[in-house]
Amino acid sequence: MAQPAISAQDLTYRYGDLVAVDHVSFDVAEGEVLGFLGPNGAGKSTSVKILTGQLRPAEGKALLLGQDITRRTNAVQAHIGVSFETTNLYEQMTAVENLNLFARLFGIHDFKAGPLLEKVGLGGRDKERVANYSKGMKQRLMLARALVNNPRILFLDEPTDGLDPVSSQTVHAIIREAADKGTTVFLTTHDMVEADKLSNRVAFINRGQIVALDTPARLKREYGKRAILVEVEMADGDTEVREITLDNGDTPQMLHDLFQSERIVTVHSEEATLEDIFVEITGRGLHG
Amino acid sequence: MIAALVQKDVKLFFRNQFFALITAMGLVFYLLIYFLLPADVEETLPFAVFVEDMPADVALAEVPLGDGLAVSTFDSEESLIQALQNGDYMAGLVLSAETMAAIGQGEAATLNVYYAPGTPSEMRGAVDSMLGSALNAHMLPPDAAAAGIDRVTEVVGLNVDGPLSMRDRILPTLVLMILAIEVMGLATLIVEEIEHGTAQALLITPLGTGQFFASKAVMGMGLAFVQVFLIMLLSGGLLVAPLLVTLALLLGCLLITGFSFIIAAIARDMMSVIAWGMMGLIILVLPSLAIVFPTMGSGWMDYIPSHYLIDTLHRAINAGATLGDVTANLLTLLVIGAGTLVLGSMVLRRRFA
């Protein structure tokens, strides 16, 4: 089996008496997008800080690209990109100046900011001071900064939080493109739709522990209800919703009869959302 | 309504732990400074006297040298000069047996009068006149004509040629003010990097914390040095002793960079940097008072690290001191500066951790 890009092994971190990350273990393969989901205070940010070398775990270790991040921090950091949840750009500098600075820190001498800024949709305003940018533009510039060193692992913390749909689409496209090129993406988000759409697998973290880790499809199958809801129009013009269970032997016949005899308005699967699954597993919401 | 708003503001002000602390500390600190400064008005001039072969039956305390002189006697001319150099006395008189005999016979005599560094010329003139009159009055028989007394005055310690103008006196203070302002500038820069999260972004690259600190140290020292160097260059101070002044300025920049790190480690935002910085500025500037206003100096000011910078610059540009004269100052400044920088880096590293 190929070496995982990220391997968290029994990671534990405490803030005083509070165990923020409690013996967390998981692997992320090269080129995989892992959605890391959990409510505020669940331990997401602390986990990311450990994985990116900002915090030293109390127990356990994190291997990135086969190297211990605690021991080989700078060597590993040369191959990762991080986009933070809160904007932390040099606002009195231009986008180009921001990117050039980080390129120099990564030791990239022939860096050209233009193509990267074009990619994130900031091509026309690259000479403007970042202080004049909208939140969406700053968020996209943060993403561009995270890509400066062409990272092998990309950590994205709420990359589309508060963005308009167009900006979100741009960010999603960039994440997908990076993953297609083999970049491992560690995506921390509250947005279940985003996680569902972009992630190969999702991990649910609650009170510092991983409570579920699988592909969105398998989680939905495991925790969702195998049924479809059919909305039919009655003779008096009212509508009625009928549930048809999928695993019965006569399901095909039932559906056939329904479509023959009734006027169908809508058909929906009763697939669980990731948020439903999280609530079912943890007993609490993702926004709590 | 206004009362309600005032009440609210007072409540909010003291709920902000930083402002509550800085207010309380400020009160204590400024009161401490106030009470440390001399409370007594010096109505008498501390005056040192050495009389060569003083007759056993003459008690010097009986010699009415003049109202306002607090006379102390010394065993030798050397110990008198040393006391003046230490700043214990403002003026001193050496009376040789020959001089005393000449005055006693109403003949012309020469007085050796020494002054501590920084004694204003007006004060020197007044003391000279007073000494001449007092000695004539005491040693000559009644109704005798006054002896002609020539005075040879010498300022011990600093070899200042003539009185110093205010601009020459204040130049080291200006340098110190610039450096103290730079303390706040650099500390603000670091605090903003922390508060805005840009430091976090930088430290997630291969850049290490040590390199981050080093860059700030270079930046702080560089910026401060360029400013004070220009001031010294344009004022002409640098031309007097280029190497010595440059060395002193560099060490001064080292010191203030350390202070900046310490302030950056404890301050939360720009306002708190200014609050802490002002406290530091007042302390750092205190030793310069002794140069601008010579009679205002106090011995304890020598324990303030900036004293070694101020004193070195003053000696170098106003008294033609050589490297040998100020080696002790420079070494002390180097040790304190390096120590402050190491301490600053340690406390700042704790904040980053």
Side-chain angles (χ1 to χ4, degrees), chain B residues 103-126:
Chain B
I103 295 173
Q105 291 163 19
E107 294 171 1
T110 301
L111 285 182
N112 286 331
V113 187
Y114 293 95
Y115 289 97
T119 307
S121 56
E122 299 82 358
M123 177 75 79
R124 282 190 252 164

Side-chain angles (χ1 to χ4, degrees), chain A residues 102 154 156 232 236:
Chain A
F102 280 79
L154 191 54
L156 303 173
V232 297
D236 59 1

Side-chain angles (χ1 to χ4, degrees), chain A residues 107-120:
Chain A
I108 306 167
H109 301 295
D110 55 349
F111 177 75
K112 297 272 184 289
L116 198 48
L117 288 169
E118 286 291 343
K119 184 192 269 189
V120 297

Side-chain angles (χ1 to χ4, degrees), chain B residues 11 28 48 220:
Chain B
K11 199 181 286 178
V28 173

Side-chain angles (χ1 to χ4, degrees), chain A residues 7-180:
Chain A
S7 178
Q9 299 171 5
D10 216 20
L11 289 182
T12 302
Y13 193 86
R14 298 182 188 88
Y15 293 105
D17 293 334
L18 176 75
V19 183
V21 176
D22 191 0
H23 298 93
V24 163
S25 297
F26 60 85
D27 286 346
V28 188
E30 285 228 40
E32 183 181 7
V33 179
L34 179 77
F36 204 59
L37 316 176
N40 292 332
K44 296 191 303 289
S45 296
T46 306
S47 301
V48 171
K49 282 182 179 172
I50 294 171
L51 293 173
T52 53
Q54 298 176 73
L55 288 179
R56 190 179 283 262
E59 291 172 39
K61 64 179 176 181
L63 301 180
L64 275 79
L65 306 169
Q67 300 189 82
D68 189 334
I69 182 72
T70 308
R71 292 171 193 272
R72 306 262 302 146
T73 310
N74 289 351
V76 173
Q77 283 173 337
H79 299 290
I80 66 173
V82 184
S83 175
F84 300 86
E85 182 182 5
T86 46
T87 310
N88 55 1
L89 297 158
Y90 288 99
E91 304 230 344
Q92 297 309 317
M93 287 162 58
T94 66
V96 173
E97 288 168 339
N98 268 278
L99 296 188
N100 284 343
L101 167 68
F102 280 79
R104 286 186 66 188
L105 294 177
F106 281 109
I108 306 167
H109 301 295
D110 55 349
F111 177 75
K112 297 272 184 289
L116 198 48
L117 288 169
E118 286 291 343
K119 184 192 269 189
V120 297
L122 293 172
R125 298 180 69 176
D126 52 353
K127 300 281 193 308
E128 210 174 304
R129 283 193 180 184
V130 174
N132 298 331
Y133 280 13
S134 67
K135 185 179 176 185
M137 291 168 73
K138 287 177 185 173
Q139 200 70 44
R140 281 182 275 150
L141 181 57
M142 299 255 290
L143 184 57
R145 188 179 68 185
L147 294 167
V148 156
N149 58 329
N150 201 13
R152 290 177 63 187
I153 305 175
L154 191 54
F155 289 90
L156 303 173
D157 196 355
E158 306 287 354
T160 57
D161 189 34
L163 295 193
D164 62 79
V166 177
S167 294
S168 294
Q169 291 287 338
T170 309
V171 171
H172 288 172
I174 293 166
I175 295 171
R176 219 180 263 125
E177 186 190 325
D180 289 346

